[in-house]
Amino acid sequence: MAKKKTTKSKSETLDFSKYVRWFWIVFLGGILAVVLVFLLASWGVLGEMPDYTRLENPETNLASEIISSDDQTLGKFYFDDNRTPIGYEDLPKNLVDALIATEDVRHYEHSGIDGRGTLRAFVFLGSKGGASTISQQLARQLFIGVRDKDNTTNAIIQKIQEWVIAIRLERQYTKEEIIAMYFNIYDFGNNGDGIRSASRIYFGKEPRDLDVKESAMLVGMFKNSSLYNPRPHKNPVGVRNRRNVVLAQMAKYDYITETEKDSLQKTELDLNYSPESHREGIATYFREYLRGFMKDWAKDDKNRKPDGDKYDLYTDGLKIFTTIDSRMQQYAENAVNQHMPRLQAEFDNQNTPERNKTAPFLDLSTVEVNKLMSDGMRRGERWRILKKQGKSDKEIEASFQKPTEMRVFKWIDGDASEIDTIMKPIDSMRYYKSFLRTGMMSMDPQTGHVKAWVGGMNYRHFQYDMVKQGKRQVGSTFKPFVYATAIDQLQLSPCDIFPRAPITIEANKFGNPEPWTTKNSDGSYSGEQSLKDALASSTNTITARLMNEVGPQPVVEMARKLGVTSEILPVPAIALGTADISVYEMVAAYSTFANKGVYNKPVMVTRIEDKNGTILYQFVPESKDVLSEEVAYVTVNLMEGVTKAGSGGRLRSKGVDKYNQMYREVMTGYPYDLQNPIAGKTGTTQNQSDGWFMGMVPNLVTGVWVGAEDRAAHFRTITYGQGASMALPIWGLYMNACYADETLEVSKGQFEKPSNLKIDIDCTAKDEGDILDESDGVDNIELDF
């Protein structure tokens, strides 16, 4: 019996061994199959895989960043990807904690694949959470793309590739680098490519400044940035609920306390939605100028990549360091936005249909208005586009008479706004021609660095840049060029006396075909004035006498040396500012006076770096001696008289009751109460079409122009239509804001006097205060023909 039992036991043992053998065959075969699949995937048999070179340098489009002189981002250049990567050290701890708690709590424990998470996903078919680690999600974002859910085979292959790449990434990068790369690569929507753009767009701050609830909202978007989009009015409830899930995860894993979680979950999203586009944000006109500068730079064969290709402004992640100071730029834009709606309100009041049947144009017949509008049609973008589409002139003209839905610019309660309306395109043209425009630039005369650039009121609706593109008649702001030429050639003193009597420059003396005679705006020609008083009161006949002494050609040559490149005809009339010159040129020219006679070409870009920080361009200053230090100082001294006893004297007023109501209506920010040394000049052209103010202190020169698109649209009287009312308030508002910010160190000191000054500037024998009583004469002092 014992023998039989032993034989049976042996048989049974043999049968069990067979199953064990098959188990190991299947088990090991499965492992080998998995290994083989992974090997095939890594070899690229299942589809193209990134090599180590691509892993080290993933192909992502990087926006080029515009950086201010005070290290702030002014804007970016990009097509599809508004991405500016940042390092792990720039990520706040609460943002990283939120990511770990929500997306991959064992991130620091695995090597790219979370075994526990993967097993859980298989067992519960994903109902209790997915298994994708941060490394896997990064692999998908960088190299795999959207998973093909409609094809199971492809989806499985993509998942295998994702695992392989995740393991490679873990070998290539540290855990911290992987986290930073993931934040940088993700598309948060609304041009929020990467965490830096998203943080700026949704909260108006840099990532390092994000608080816990802001970090939780952004991490919540990783689930689906389209569904959980915090853009105003899109899905605020869903976004808030998702944010609260993230906060709960942070509490679950002890990154925050339960009390903090409960408190934060009750809060609103508190968005500060600030879209980043080429038409929005700060310094829009400057950024558009810079786009042209960079395109020209990239075209130059000297500025090539090591492989010989041209740099791409929109994808290569260049860093463009500019001279613009973000604080001064903001103060300049604020000044424009404060003054222009008030000035516009008065302009509109003077151009109601009851007061002006041809509004906004004055002194034009119906025929002349129709021609002006017809010419405007043919110069406009609508005409160009329709012509390119093959439309006939008749068809295009008919389209201007068809009511169309549109969004138009409007000042509402002093703010730049948009309204939806239905309007004929021809009426839209006339509507926009009724707006007063402005251009403003501020520059450090000692370095040539441009600190602020405001080319208009609203780039979306007024894209023509009135700093560099636009050129307008400069009026009396040209007179210092005449005075400087006379002082240089004739060694005149500000105290030299000239008669106010009329003067006629005979025909053909300086190429003028007819006799040229000018008028004084106050109609008075009796008595005499010193040069200092004459410039302060903008006496035209004395400027004409100086022109008769030196001749137009030397004045043109002086303007050329001062950096004016616009065409100036060498005729006597230029003495009163008939030439069309840009704000950019005028600021550079005036800066030469403030810089002791040395012209510095305006500088906007100090250097350009590639994405790795390699310097590709560094500016080289361009300077030249134009005037002696003595002549420059005397010219500045003359212009100081304008702000002491001339139309610029409004800057010094303390706002006592003797000033008339006009100041309250249109002199935005008045009184300015600026008591420090200021040199400057107002300018007003014929019919009050252009108002200028050029003002300077030792380390800052700023020019402002205000006027309509067409010279036929202007104020009816000089009371509102002079430079001292149209442009000077913007300068006063801007300078007061700059002075209030002590970090800017804008000078309040004296202009430095040359040690060897020989020209007499002490005119105390004549009381300058008698030249102009602002209470009853300021509104009539300046009308330059």
Side-chain angles (χ1 to χ4, degrees), residues 151 178 397 503 686:
N151 188 314
I178 287 172
E397 288 173 357
I503 177 175
Q686 191 171 27

Side-chain angles (χ1 to χ4, degrees), residues 10 24 69 78 83 205 233 244 261 268 278 281 312 365 401 412 414 433 482 487 647 774:
K10 185 177 181 180
W24 283 109
S69 61
Y78 62 91
R83 180 173 290 105
K205 58 176 65 174
H233 313 303
N244 289 348
K261 180 204 76 172
E268 298 297 328
H278 303 307
D312 190 317
S365 66
Q401 302 297 329
I412 300 179
K433 286 180 180 293
V482 180
I487 294 167
S647 54
E774 288 184 310

Side-chain angles (χ1 to χ4, degrees), residues 38-50:
F38 271 77
L39 285 172
L40 291 173
S42 65
W43 294 336
V45 175
L46 301 182
E48 184 182 359
M49 295 286 281

Side-chain angles (χ1 to χ4, degrees), residues 630-643:
E630 182 181 40
V631 172
Y633 178 78
V634 172
T635 306
V636 169
N637 182 263
L638 282 166
M639 287 190 279
E640 283 189 87
V642 174
T643 66

Side-chain angles (χ1 to χ4, degrees), residues 535-579:
L535 187 63
S537 60
S538 210
T539 305
N540 291 336
T541 53
I542 291 181
T543 307
R545 290 182 182 280
L546 295 178
M547 177 61 77
N548 191 44
E549 291 289 330
V550 299
Q553 188 60 46
V555 175
V556 171
E557 291 172 1
M558 172 64 73
R560 288 277 178 269
K561 289 188 289 184
L562 290 168
V564 177
T565 58
S566 298
E567 182 180 5
I568 304 175
L569 295 177
V571 294
I574 63 171
L576 306 185
T578 56

